Amino acid sequence: MALTQSSDTCTDNAAILSPLWTDTTLSNGNLKAVATGNSYQWAISTIAIPDSGKWTFEAQSSNIDGSSKYGYVGLCQMGNHNAKTGNNYIYGINAGTGEVVKNASALVDVGSPAGTSLWRIEYDADADTIKIFDDGAEVFPASTGVSNTVGLTGQNSLHFFVAPYGSG
């Protein structure tokens, strides 16, 4: 009997949220994350961001119950840590306050967004820069005067992530 072999040449793959590295409750085919405790709980992409090229991630903040819409959207680094909560090891925007945060330090406040925003994160791996868009409008770094160099060092890989807050 002759064996056949083919190479895996998948194209147009899309990441979902990983059930292996989260404290959130995932649903809707691992496309929706809901935090269960009073902290920013990470849900990371199943596919790491490659070392070169330009990459995009979109996330919708819901504010379904009207009480809160807090959570981070952006990049997180996976390294020699086991962080699944908080705002260290990240570069992203707080969808409730408008603060852009890098490694737990607020860089700039771009203003509170609408109740339900479609966030787009663009990462240029070759230049190591991030751009953040709220409903199609660039909010960071757009004329903030703040460097958008990511510079998350020591990571094994970068992932896109969301981190809803437990009461949001």
Side-chain angles (χ1 to χ4, degrees):
M1 172 173 6
L3 297 176
T4 60
Q5 180 178 0
S6 63
S7 298
D8 185 2
T9 57
C10 297
T11 59
D12 297 327
N13 289 333
I16 57 174
L17 299 173
S18 174
L20 303 176
W21 191 277
T22 189
D23 288 334
T24 65
T25 300
L26 299 177
S27 62
N28 195 26
N30 292 353
L31 295 174
K32 180 179 179 181
V34 176
T36 56
N38 287 327
S39 63
Y40 293 102
Q41 296 177 308
W42 295 13
I44 70 168
S45 60
T46 53
I47 301 173
I49 301 170
D51 293 336
S52 65
K54 295 181 180 182
W55 306 95
T56 301
F57 169 73
E58 290 186 341
Q60 176 79 45
S61 59
S62 62
N63 194 24
I64 293 169
D65 66 2
S67 66
S68 181
K69 58 184 174 180
Y70 294 94
Y72 285 100
V73 178
L75 303 171
C76 69
Q77 71 179 31
M78 303 310 298
N80 296 324
H81 63 78
N82 59 359
K84 293 182 188 176
T85 63
N87 62 3
N88 206 2
Y89 309 108
I90 71 165
Y91 199 129
I93 189 163
N94 185 312
T97 66
E99 279 188 333
V100 177
V101 172
K102 177 180 178 181
N103 278 331
S105 296
L107 300 177
V108 66
D109 187 336
V110 297
S112 294
T116 55
S117 292
L118 177 62
W119 295 100
R120 186 172 77 239
I121 307 299
E122 293 181 358
Y123 178 64
D124 183 337
D126 298 316
D128 193 32
T129 56
I130 188 173
K131 289 184 179 179
I132 301 171
F133 297 80
D134 178 8
D135 289 329
E138 184 179 325
V139 295
F140 183 80
S143 63
T144 62
V146 176
S147 170
N148 67 333
T149 300
V150 173
L152 294 176
T153 59
Q155 75 270 6
N156 293 340
S157 60
L158 288 177
H159 291 259
F160 290 111
F161 88 114
V162 296
Y165 192 78
S167 62

